[in-house]
Amino acid sequence: MRERPSARLLVLDPHDRLLLFKFVHLAGALTGTQFWATPGGGVHPGESYEAAACREMFEETGICIDDPGPQIAQRLVTFTMVDGEEVSSDERYFLVRVARADLSSMHWTELERAAIAGQHWWRQAELAETADTVYPEDIIDILTRARVW
């Protein structure tokens, strides 16, 4: 199984709302699945988790950052990619605070354009009440332990 290190972003606006993207898979191995997840993605060979977090932040939100902030969580998980490949991922979660909530999808890949159906800034109570699937599953606990919520 291929190892896929990943930098994930816990992006908070000035009102402590958390940015999540809604993924809806209409084709490929994940057809019919939908869930909410943090921005972020795979670390390129030779790239640090921090550098990947900055790159992913720009690519997925249009916001340029020089520092991803502190790493506040790590998760080891196995999952299926859109093409059906099973990967083992070492996910590192960085806390990023932004001054504005407006985003750009200008730098999204074709895969992101095909799978990301929406975005939402979630309040803690709203996230706690949703019946939707959210990854990581313990995202509220992560932010509570970090004393964000």
Side-chain angles (χ1 to χ4, degrees):
M1 181 178 305
R2 180 171 68 92
E3 291 186 13
R4 182 182 184 268
S6 179
R8 309 300 309 180
L9 301 153
L10 298 165
V11 182
L12 294 155
D13 74 0
H15 306 287
D16 285 334
R17 296 179 304 171
L18 176 70
L19 174 65
L20 295 176
F21 290 131
K22 184 174 187 175
F23 290 83
V24 176
H25 295 281
L26 302 175
L30 302 177
T31 299
T33 62
Q34 57 182 301
F35 53 86
W36 292 91
T38 64
V43 176
H44 293 167
E47 186 177 43
S48 69
Y49 282 93
E50 292 79 8
C54 292
R55 176 183 49 75
E56 289 288 342
M57 182 73 174
F58 179 70
E59 291 174 1
E60 296 190 359
T61 69
I63 299 171
C64 185
I65 58 172
D66 294 324
D67 179 357
Q71 177 186 317
I72 64 167
Q74 179 179 6
R75 178 173 89 140
L76 303 174
V77 63
T78 300
F79 62 90
T80 304
M81 302 284 287
V82 174
D83 64 3
E85 179 187 17
E86 290 279 326
V87 296
S88 174
S89 186
D90 178 357
E91 297 180 338
R92 310 286 176 97
Y93 288 82
F94 295 90
L95 182 64
V96 180
R97 293 194 174 271
V98 296
R100 61 190 190 352
D102 53 318
L103 307 171
S104 170
S105 60
M106 181 185 302
H107 302 286
W108 285 6
T109 65
E110 274 188 50
L111 187 60
E112 289 163 342
R113 289 184 194 288
I116 298 175
Q119 62 199 27
H120 186 68
W121 292 92
W122 294 78
R123 296 187 186 284
Q124 179 183 9
E126 180 184 21
L127 194 54
E129 293 175 4
T130 187
D132 292 352
T133 301
V134 177
Y135 296 116
E137 298 88 340
D138 63 342
I139 198 163
I140 292 174
D141 292 338
I142 290 170
L143 291 168
T144 301
R145 282 192 306 271
R147 298 178 187 215
V148 173
W149 282 349

